[in-house]
């Protein structure tokens, strides 16, 4: 598990370096405001370019070369099944798009609220969306702490496993990770139950009184003061 985390951390570091270089170049050209508004998109494009040049071509990333790990689809009785080209392409896209969707989730939720009924739109606020995403992300990490197979959600969706050349399992460390996962999982369970209870018991905001009152009829027209005066 340590090698998996280290490899992913180094790959994220190099992708972030590429995004910082692009942002610095745009800032030097006087596009500072543009950089601030599209920072998540720049990070997604840099991640896409980094993994397309490595994983997409079927070669190891810098993080995998440093830790001596490699990507595979299955590892059964010493037999390795390498990732196919379509699976590598899906992995590259998900590695770039999933973090972007997570960062842009509040904007997507606001766009969705405009199409939902008012009763549902009032409950789908930014705090609820952020809380659900945080809960899903940490639950995914807890599953990784337990089985040690998929560190990134994109790897879990595509079934891409990051394996060591030696494939040595440290069972004592695995048991310590499971104890940590149990402790954090209990905290997340309490948090999730509280958020669900808060969501179900929240009362919709009251409408202003003026919104329910019937509109008043317009005042009658005043007589025209243009009649001729008597001499």
């Amino acid at each position: 598990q340590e090698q998996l985390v280290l490899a992913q951390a180094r790959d994220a570091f190099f992708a972030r370096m590429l995004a910082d270089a692009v942002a610095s170049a745009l800032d030097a050209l006087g596009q500072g405001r543009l950089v601030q508004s599209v920072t998540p998109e720049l990070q997604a494009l840099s991640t896409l370019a980094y993994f397309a040049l490595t994983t997409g071509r079927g070669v190891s990333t810098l993080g995998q070369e440093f830790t001596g790990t490699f990507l595979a689809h299955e590892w059964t009785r010493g037999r390795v099944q390498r990732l196919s080209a379509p699976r590598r392409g899906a992995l590259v896209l998900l590695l770039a798009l999933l973090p972007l969707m997570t960062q842009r989730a509040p904007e997507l939720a606001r766009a969705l609220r405009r199409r939902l009924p008012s009763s549902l739109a009032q409950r789908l606020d930014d705090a609820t969306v952020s809380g659900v995403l945080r809960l899903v992300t940490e639950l995914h990490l807890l599953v990784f702490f337990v089985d040690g197979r998929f560190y990134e959600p994109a790897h879990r969706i595509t079934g891409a496993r990051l394996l060591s050349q030696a494939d040595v399992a440290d069972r004592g460390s695995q048991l310590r990770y499971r104890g940590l996962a149990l402790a954090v999982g209990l905290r997340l369970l309490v948090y999730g139950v509280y958020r669900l209870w808060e969501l179900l018991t929240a009362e919709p905001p009251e409408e202003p009184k003026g919104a329910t009152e019937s509109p008043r009829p317009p005042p009658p027209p005043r007589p025209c003061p243009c009649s001729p005066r008597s001499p």
Side-chain angles (χ1 to χ4, degrees):
Q1 285 183 340
E2 295 84 355
Q3 292 177 335
L4 270 65
V5 175
L6 181 58
Q8 297 291 335
R10 289 184 68 88
D11 288 335
F13 171 75
F14 288 119
R16 189 166 56 250
M17 283 183 59
L18 180 59
D20 292 341
V22 175
S24 299
L26 291 176
D27 195 10
L29 294 175
Q31 302 295 328
R33 293 185 178 180
L34 177 63
V35 171
Q36 293 180 359
S37 61
V38 296
T39 298
E41 285 76 13
L42 284 178
Q43 183 64 45
L45 289 176
S46 301
T47 303
L48 181 65
Y50 176 79
F51 285 104
L53 294 174
T54 53
T55 303
R57 297 173 54 198
V59 299
S60 299
T61 63
L62 297 177
Q64 294 167 14
E65 290 182 355
F66 179 79
T67 56
T69 55
F70 61 95
L71 281 174
H73 179 47
E74 290 183 359
W75 174 272
T76 305
R77 297 179 180 180
R79 297 180 180 179
V80 179
Q81 181 179 352
R82 297 289 182 173
L83 290 178
S84 61
R87 197 178 293 271
R88 291 198 308 268
L91 177 61
V92 170
L93 289 176
L94 290 176
L95 285 172
L97 292 180
L98 288 181
L100 175 63
M101 295 175 61
T102 302
Q103 295 183 30
R104 293 300 189 187
E107 288 85 352
L108 296 176
R110 296 189 194 103
L112 182 60
R113 280 198 295 265
R114 301 188 186 100
R115 301 184 179 182
L116 291 177
S118 58
S119 58
L120 295 177
Q122 291 170 355
R123 299 179 184 273
L124 191 66
D125 55 355
D126 294 347
T128 302
V129 174
S130 301
V132 170
L133 289 176
R134 172 190 171 190
L135 183 63
V136 172
T137 302
E138 295 196 10
L139 283 176
H140 167 77
L141 287 177
L142 288 180
V143 176
F144 167 73
F145 287 152
V146 173
D147 60 13
R149 298 177 63 188
F150 305 104
Y151 180 70
E152 292 285 347
H155 288 83
R156 186 175 298 277
I157 294 174
T158 57
R161 294 190 59 183
L162 193 60
L163 301 174
S164 172
Q165 294 287 353
D167 195 37
V168 177
D170 186 0
R171 296 187 177 275
S173 175
Q174 183 76 12
L175 291 176
R176 289 195 297 271
Y177 274 121
R178 289 181 179 179
L180 177 63
L182 180 61
V184 180
L186 181 61
R187 178 181 66 84
L188 286 178
L189 179 62
V190 174
Y191 172 78
V193 171
Y194 170 75
R195 288 294 300 171
L196 181 61
W197 175 81
E198 188 180 36
L199 179 63
L200 295 177
T201 58
E203 297 182 358
E206 297 181 358
E207 297 182 356
K209 295 182 179 180
T212 58
E213 295 179 356
S214 58
R216 297 180 180 180
R222 297 182 179 180
C224 179
C226 56
S227 58
R229 297 181 180 179
S230 58

